[in-house]
Amino acid sequence: MKIDEAVRSAGWWGHGFASTPLQLPYIDSLTVYTYIVYSLGWVFGAFVLLSAAMFVSQLVKAASSVKDNYGKMLINGLGALFAFQFIWSIGMSLGILPILSVSLPIIGFGGGGELLANLAAIGMIYSVYRRKDMVRVN
């Protein structure tokens, strides 16, 4: 499979920025993590994985600090969607999971307003978090 060849040939530092990979399917949207690893190497790929894990852990931390049940459910639900998108996109970019139309949140170009929906979800999450002390819980 071409994805496996691209990931295995990357090395620690990759083939250089804007290098042309081997005929990868949907490189701009679905397998953008494979392109990141292929061109920038496993060091930057690990950085993207660490950033995604830190983002999801911040969402969990935000959900635990909100006292309102609706706000907590909203953050947990949207956080689960982000975690699923990160896990599935990275898994299919590494050739572990089947290729579906799930792009890497914020980084991948999903088309159809997916980036706009992700940014709106992040805005809702941090709006609830910002007002966590303003809501009176009985």
Side-chain angles (χ1 to χ4, degrees), residues 1-57:
M1 182 181 257
K2 303 269 185 195
I3 293 175
D4 294 334
E5 293 172 19
V7 170
R8 286 186 188 133
S9 69
W12 285 105
W13 302 106
H15 296 285
F17 187 68
S19 60
T20 307
L22 313 164
Q23 300 292 327
L24 290 176
Y26 307 109
I27 193 71
D28 59 340
S29 60
L30 300 181
T31 57
V32 70
Y33 186 74
T34 304
Y35 178 71
I36 289 171
V37 170
Y38 180 81
S39 61
L40 300 175
W42 278 105
V43 173
F44 196 75
F47 174 73
V48 170
L49 279 175
L50 182 66
S51 299
M54 286 176 54
F55 178 70
V56 171
S57 71

Side-chain angles (χ1 to χ4, degrees), residues 43-91:
V43 173
F44 196 75
F47 174 73
V48 170
L49 279 175
L50 182 66
S51 299
M54 286 176 54
F55 178 70
V56 171
S57 71
Q58 286 293 319
L59 292 179
V60 170
K61 184 178 170 184
S64 66
S65 68
V66 171
K67 297 175 184 105
D68 182 37
N69 285 335
Y70 180 74
K72 189 176 287 207
M73 286 189 301
L74 182 71
I75 293 175
N76 282 331
L78 293 174
L81 286 175
F82 276 113
F84 173 77
Q85 284 180 339
F86 278 120
I87 290 169
W88 197 273
S89 177
I90 291 171

